[in-house]
Amino acid sequence: MTRVLYGGKSASAEAWRDALLALKPDLNLVMPSDNYAPDDVDIVLYEPSGPIQDMTPYKNVAAIQSLWAGVETLLGNETLPTEPPLLRMVEDGLTFGMTEYVVGHVFRAHLGVIAQQADQAREIWGTWNPPLASDRRVGIIGLGALGRDSAEALAQLRFDVSGWSRTPKDISGVRCLSGEGGFQQIISESDILVLLAPLTPETENLINAKNLAAMPKGAHIINAARGQLIDEDALLVALDAGHIATATLDVMCTEPLPQGHPFWKHPKVTITPHIASVTRPETAAKTVITQVERFETGQPFLHKVCRERGY
Ligand code: NAP
């Protein structure tokens, strides 16, 4: 019977055990503190901050299932075996949570909430009406499990939505772009730009000084992907110059954001502490059990990471 090792944070261990056993009561689930032979583990559930970081004892592992959508830390693990597939986390709770974060913060930028709060602090009765959503261009960088759902939700709310991915996509109500030409188009035509692409060598510093300058004056940026997608110094320059109106940052190059960092008190920056979305055991257990059942029935695993591409 497939042996699954829970390698996530101990604080979530009970919730994961309950959720997994509720779906598959006979699951052969072991915890890091249990007495087990590493050679007998078939699937490791991996979390960057979890207790299982040295993969060398797990010689016969069939797959490593990340509990996170982002896999750059897993890929950077030097003890990673070369053969078994690495699996990203794709699950409804993570996807729907991210869509709620993105839609909420897109509306915040769209309705000018940050500027209005600044007016209120100075007792200014500013009269300004936002355009209708249909006249607001929203660009989503990354149309994967998370970006696609956000793009569809925003399109249903009548925003003028474009999305950019490495390979071409066809999503109803969304202008799908790809390639370098598509990138230049999306950054030059987005009033609100949402980052939902993975951190890879190709996406690091994607939003640099040159690309910030190519964005429309007064554009807003929402980063729910990884901090390293943005050149943070260049962003501060663009915000202070008034070229970028606001930045909402859930992720930063250094987390937690160091005390005294200029983002903390910047009037045009909203910081959220990497909480945009999270894997929820109660919904994510379904993904893990599906992978176990596919393994047991000889079907290929889902959501495989391409090690060469980095996501
Ligand atoms: P995913 O399903 O792998 O989708 C990634 C998307 O980015 C795909 O559409 C992919 O294009 C596109 N992409 C990747 N590299 C590209 C490139 N060089 N040029 C153009 N497009 C590129 O990932 P996901 O599940 O949506 O998650 C996205 C990221 O969100 C994660 O990697 C993680 O860093 C971040 N995240 C953050 C939080 C948070 O709380 N802040 C929570 C979860 C995830 P193709 O479709 O053509 O492959």
Side-chain angles (χ1 to χ4, degrees), residues 69-70 88 94 98 142-147 164-167 169 196-198 202-203 224-226 250-251 274 276-277 311:
R88 302 179 299 112
L94 187 59
M98 181 60 82
L143 289 173
L146 303 181
W164 183 70
S165 51
R166 195 177 52 78
T167 54
K169 299 277 180 289
L196 275 175
E202 284 184 20
T203 62
R226 288 291 183 262
D250 185 57
V251 286
H274 203 142
S277 193
Y311 74 99

Side-chain angles (χ1 to χ4, degrees), residues 291 293-301:
Q291 302 284 28
E293 288 175 351
R294 290 179 74 89
F295 175 59
E296 289 178 346
T297 53
Q299 297 176 74
F301 289 110

